[in-house]
Amino acid sequence: MLRVYLDHMATAPLDREVLSAMLPFLENRFGNPSRPYDLGSEAKQAIERARESVARLINASPGEIIFTSSGAEANNLAVRGLAKANAGRGMHLITSEIEHHSTLNAFRSLQKEGYVVTFLPVNAYGEVSVEKLESAITDSTTLVSVMLANYEVGTLQAVREIAQIAHERGALVHTDAVAAAGNIEIDVKKLGVDALSLSAHTMYGPKGAGALYLREGLRIVPLIYSGIQEEGRRGGTENVAGIAGFGRAAELALKHLDKVERIRWLRDKLIEGVLEVEKVELTGHPEKRLPNHASFIVESVDGEALMMALSFEGIYIGNGTACISQVLRASPILLAMGYPAQRAQCSAIFTLGRETSKRDIEYVLSKFPDVVGKLRRISPLWNE
Amino acid sequence: MPKQPEIKFVEGIVADAVEDVVYRMCPMHLMRLEERMKELRKGQILELQTDYEGALVDIPDWCRKTGNELIGVEDTGEFFKFYIKKTVD
């Protein structure tokens, strides 16, 4: 049976070149990067090389990259660290209703500490309303955080415009670029953001490695207290192998950005084929979306049941952000977009990768109608 | 805790270079102090900004050990500004 993995938003397979870059630091080159002897300094050099590669991916300077344990930690550090560092100026913060849990819950934790948080609504495509931002922002707003692309519906946000509005009022801007990185070109200078989160494992790197871009000259209150690691901004002995792998993954992501058009073409073939099945609807914006992302509501078919049934055919898809899907039946993102709860349970997310082939898409399209048909026949909601 | 040395509190000093290590963890204030002082010429002044209270002990100690002059400290309420004059090459 063919195995077709189309859940790259949950995680991507580890690239072999990434593994090769990591292995020396899991074997003989095990030194602590804070030690000045050769075993330590070669680990330190590996970290600094990786910092340069990650910075290059987003057109930043190496000194603007803080390595973290994950995209979630990067989001937490940005939200809590920037809010705390600027509390003297104001206690109002703005984010959107469709952020990842690591952003939403970081904001919720600040609400308990006396901060006032505005959660911006989205339209039916999952776009954050720029007009609503303009009316919500005040002179005491210190931080606006809106993701670059949504994991579940693929919609790209107007981050550049959002940054301009925020900066006019003196607020800083953070964007979660975990879903976008490696799938579209990212330039922190063109976007005009002050902070941006990345994760290695969604771009063919290892799990356990992330990074926060923080514009030079900005202060941030740390989350993890220790000593000199990451220039005194993130404590803990560095995950040298993970960081080395992240660096290689960033280099490969940049190199493979020219494959985006081929992926977009395959994605469009997939959308076209899936929509041939009756009562299937594309979610998210039809054009302003990640080029590897196709998401649907398959009426009367529970998203989790579809995900499992397709896996028995060797096809792996998603049905919501990994941490949401296990707990809630209905997607909070689809609910925020205005879908009723019953339909928001029927989410199916296909995210392609650079290894995805035409044969893979043809195989998925050969199985999808039958699997949906079988599930609908046993669904109490399906009315033929 | 070592005895806190006497510190002169000042205002309005103009420095030749500024180093901001506010919210950065100890010992970044000492590491950056040493790096930046190497870049300055004799007679120039560094303004080092830190919120770390231990710096009130460490920086006077560092100045005594290296022979540089601690002109004084400004307390902004949020962080300290240490003014250090390079008096030795």
Side-chain angles (χ1 to χ4, degrees):
Chain A
M1 185 169 65
L2 195 63
R3 191 173 85 164
V4 180
Y5 184 78
L6 297 180
D7 197 11
H8 289 79
M9 281 292 139
T11 195
L14 193 74
D15 192 290
R16 286 200 169 275
E17 286 189 46
V18 170
L19 181 63
S20 302
M22 294 172 69
L23 282 175
F25 302 99
L26 295 166
E27 293 175 333
N28 299 326
R29 296 184 173 186
F30 57 85
N32 185 319
S34 294
R35 287 283 185 251
Y37 48 67
D38 57 357
L39 269 179
S41 62
E42 62 192 20
K44 179 77 178 157
Q45 281 166 19
I47 291 173
E48 297 316 314
R49 272 198 306 274
R51 202 183 305 281
E52 285 170 21
S53 301
V54 172
R56 203 172 301 121
L57 178 68
I58 58 170
N59 193 26
S61 302
E64 295 175 315
I65 302 297
I66 304 171
F67 284 118
T68 63
S69 66
S70 59
E73 189 194 323
N75 282 338
N76 271 249
L77 177 59
V79 173
R80 292 192 54 88
L82 289 174
K84 295 265 174 192
N86 294 285
R89 240 174 13 86
M91 299 283 278
H92 180 232
L93 312 164
I94 298 178
T95 188
S96 86
E97 286 180 349
I98 61 160
E99 300 297 313
H100 188 257
H101 269 177
S102 56
T103 302
L104 288 175
N105 285 336
F107 277 107
R108 287 175 187 142
S109 74
L110 289 167
Q111 279 181 308
K112 289 186 184 168
E113 295 169 34
Y115 290 80
V116 176
V117 182
T118 301
F119 295 89
L120 295 173
V122 293
N123 65 16
Y125 291 137
E127 290 175 294
V128 172
S129 159
V130 174
E131 290 75 31
K132 291 264 169 53
L133 168 66
E134 279 176 320
S135 55
I137 199 163
T138 72
D139 291 336
S140 67
T141 308
T142 56
L143 177 66
V144 176
S145 177
V146 174
M147 64 195 346
L148 194 50
N150 184 270
Y151 309 79
E152 247 183 275
V153 293
T155 301
L156 299 167
Q157 303 296 343
V159 171
R160 194 175 175 178
E161 220 177 325
I162 287 167
Q164 277 171 357
I165 294 163
H167 287 158
E168 278 167 20
R169 301 298 290 265
L172 296 173
V173 177
H174 164 251
T175 190
D176 171 1
V178 171
N183 295 312
I184 56 168
E185 188 193 332
I186 297 174
D187 183 325
V188 288
K189 292 182 178 69
K190 281 186 194 162
L191 285 172
V193 293
D194 304 291
L196 178 144
S197 301
L198 295 168
S199 176
H201 79 97
T202 49
M203 41 187 261
Y204 298 86
K207 294 161 187 70
L212 180 70
Y213 155 79
L214 183 70
R215 185 166 59 76
E216 196 182 345
L218 290 180
R219 292 174 180 160
I220 196 158
V221 174
L223 282 184
I224 299 173
Y225 288 90
S226 184
I228 60 169
Q229 296 89 2
E230 298 303 299
E231 296 288 310
R233 296 177 294 186
R234 199 275 185 184
T237 300
E238 298 89 335
N239 170 11
V240 183
I243 291 169
F246 191 4
R248 189 73 190 113
E251 288 166 13
L252 293 169
L254 202 56
K255 183 180 148 193
H256 290 300
L257 268 180
D258 60 359
K259 293 198 169 58
V260 163
E261 286 315 308
R262 186 189 65 87
I263 294 171
R264 192 194 304 275
W265 177 74
L266 289 173
R267 190 276 314 266
D268 289 346
K269 279 184 84 67
L270 176 73
I271 291 177
E272 202 183 320
V274 167
L275 290 180
E276 278 179 20
V277 177
E278 65 174 318
K279 297 204 172 167
V280 176
E281 180 190 336
L282 185 74
T283 58
H285 200 284
E287 286 105 35
K288 285 189 267 177
R289 64 185 303 135
L290 290 172
N292 68 326
H293 198 290
S295 53
F296 307 93
I297 283 179
V298 183
E299 201 169 307
S300 306
V301 175
D302 179 80
E304 195 162 315
L306 180 61
M307 181 169 75
M308 291 310 296
L310 284 171
S311 75
F312 301 143
E313 302 289 346
I315 298 163
Y316 298 86
I317 68 159
N319 76 326
T321 310
C323 55
I324 297 173
S325 60
Q326 289 167 19
V327 188
L328 298 173
R329 303 296 283 177
S331 152
I333 289 162
L334 294 177
L335 293 176
M337 287 163 64
Y339 287 93
Q342 191 182 309
R343 301 193 74 210
Q345 292 177 29
C346 305
S347 172
I349 304 159
F350 299 74
T351 45
L352 287 66
R354 56 187 183 234
E355 75 285 5
T356 307
S357 67
K358 190 174 167 222
R359 188 172 158 233
D360 291 341
I361 300 301
E362 285 166 354
Y363 178 70
V364 172
L365 294 176
S366 73
K367 297 287 176 187
F368 183 76
D370 284 350
V371 171
V372 170
K374 276 180 196 158
L375 290 171
R376 278 178 173 166
R377 277 196 288 281
I378 58 168
S379 168
L381 303 170
W382 183 245
N383 194 359
E384 271 188 280
Chain B
M1 183 95 179
K3 189 172 170 265
Q4 190 165 313
E6 266 189 35
I7 290 176
K8 193 173 153 194
F9 282 87
V10 293
E11 262 181 341
I13 306 278
V14 180
D16 297 288
V18 178
E19 181 63 28
D20 179 355
V21 287
V22 176
Y23 304 134
R24 299 208 185 203
M25 292 174 275
C26 168
M28 288 308 294
H29 60 297
L30 291 176
M31 293 182 71
R32 283 288 171 83
L33 171 62
E34 207 155 296
E35 283 165 26
R36 293 306 299 271
M37 289 299 276
K38 278 182 195 158
E39 295 165 16
L40 294 187
R41 290 192 308 275
K42 199 170 170 182
Q44 286 188 311
I45 297 168
L46 175 70
E47 175 184 317
L48 186 115
Q49 303 175 349
T50 177
D51 62 319
Y52 177 59
E53 292 201 0
L56 292 167
V57 176
D58 294 346
I59 292 181
D61 271 358
W62 184 89
C63 289
R64 217 171 14 254
K65 277 177 197 158
T66 59
N68 289 291
E69 182 195 345
L70 177 62
I71 298 170
V73 181
E74 184 176 335
D75 186 353
T76 68
E78 196 187 341
F79 56 89
F80 303 107
K81 294 177 176 178
F82 286 82
Y83 293 99
I84 307 119
K85 189 174 190 176
K86 184 159 176 170
T87 49
V88 285
D89 277 323

